[in-house]
Amino acid sequence: MNLSGKTVLITGASSGIGRAAALLFARKGAQIIGAARRVNELQILQSEIQNTGGAIEVLAGDVTDPDYHRQLVELALTKFGKLDAAFNNAGIMGDVTPAHEATVANWHTVIETNLSSAFFAAKEQIPALLKSHAPSILFTSSFVGYSAGFPGMSAYSASKAGLVGLTKTLAAEYGAEGLRVNAILPGATATAMADEVAPDEESQAFIANLHGLKRRADPTEIARAALFLLSDEASFITGAALLTDGGVSVTKV
């Protein structure tokens, strides 16, 4: 699997799965457009990739702003002349609280960050992607809201389930033009965001035990699944919601 010569846009690139994907994709030959809120973390990522001979441009911004996605596409076209793939990965957990105690503000923030931003991204990316030889979009959804429900995570679950619906619709809408659209559905992954829900060893061990593999994923393991779906090796896969969840969906004990 490789991405040689491809320009790939990654949102949420400053940490977790997005950061791991940026490093992996660059090693596999991709030219990276890195997007996230935090300027310093993006600059550190940029230095790491450039110091190993990779190509990357970064732009900090708010993924809930439609204009930010337009700027990212323009950056790809200006710096690299094209856009071949997009990994729309940015997301937040939001407050973990029973639905009747949840705030309206939290609901809107989570839906806008996880779901609306993905639509805004695709809307701006698609015209540029359709000019590519083998274009692809990938969204980061979750097993939460798809194969399992977790108490206290109504907004997160709804946003991630919505991404699967968006994936299937875009795949059907643009398949005839050669655009593939898929989603990955990670299980528990050892990231800073996940540690907000499980901040101590006991809670992390409990969550790990829910998985068939009895552990959490390393972000690079999820990035490898993303690499496959964005590469030409997955040329006949579109509209898929790929469980990369360590068996949590099939384990009941």
Side-chain angles (χ1 to χ4, degrees):
M1 295 184 294
N2 71 81
L3 297 171
S4 296
K6 292 183 182 291
T7 299
V8 183
L9 193 164
I10 304 172
T11 66
S14 65
S15 63
I17 294 169
R19 189 178 196 281
L23 294 168
L24 176 62
F25 295 0
R27 290 199 301 272
K28 296 295 184 175
Q31 301 165 139
I32 305 298
I33 298 293
R37 291 174 297 175
R38 296 176 292 180
V39 176
N40 186 58
E41 283 78 357
L42 280 178
Q43 290 175 340
I44 292 171
L45 172 67
Q46 185 175 33
S47 295
E48 286 186 44
I49 289 176
Q50 290 177 338
N51 288 342
T52 57
I56 179 172
E57 296 289 337
V58 299
L59 180 65
D62 181 358
V63 293
T64 68
D65 179 4
D67 192 58
Y68 177 48
H69 298 285
R70 179 188 58 78
Q71 294 172 26
L72 289 167
V73 172
E74 288 181 352
L75 180 62
L77 299 179
T78 299
K79 295 297 184 178
F80 300 124
K82 60 177 182 169
L83 180 64
D84 300 296
F87 183 22
N88 296 315
N89 163 76
I92 60 172
M93 191 76 67
D95 297 338
V96 179
T97 185
H100 74 282
E101 297 177 0
T103 66
V104 172
N106 179 71
W107 172 269
H108 284 302
T109 298
V110 173
I111 296 297
E112 288 169 8
T113 304
N114 294 356
L115 180 57
S116 297
S117 73
F119 172 75
F120 298 152
K123 186 177 187 300
E124 295 296 333
Q125 294 158 3
I126 287 170
L129 287 168
L130 291 179
K131 298 176 183 178
S132 174
H133 172 66
S136 181
I137 292 176
L138 182 63
F139 297 110
T140 299
S141 178
S142 174
F143 79 96
V144 179
Y146 181 80
S147 59
F150 272 62
M153 301 180 71
S154 54
Y156 181 82
S157 298
S159 68
K160 293 298 186 177
L163 283 173
V164 174
L166 178 62
T167 295
K168 294 179 181 296
T169 297
L170 294 180
E173 191 167 354
Y174 293 99
E177 297 178 72
L179 176 62
R180 297 186 301 106
V181 186
N182 294 292
I184 52 170
L185 285 66
T189 306
T191 65
M193 187 175 80
D195 288 347
E196 293 175 10
V197 177
D200 54 69
E201 290 186 8
E202 183 179 359
S203 57
Q204 290 173 11
F206 172 79
I207 290 174
N209 194 56
L210 297 174
H211 296 65
L213 295 178
K214 304 304 179 187
R215 63 178 179 85
R216 300 191 299 170
D218 182 90
T220 301
E221 293 180 288
I222 308 303
R224 292 191 195 111
L227 170 64
F228 167 64
L229 286 173
L230 290 173
S231 76
D232 292 341
E233 297 300 314
S235 59
F236 202 61
I237 300 176
T238 194
L242 179 64
L243 286 164
T244 54
D245 69 350
V248 70
S249 297
V250 296
T251 304
K252 302 303 179 186
V253 293

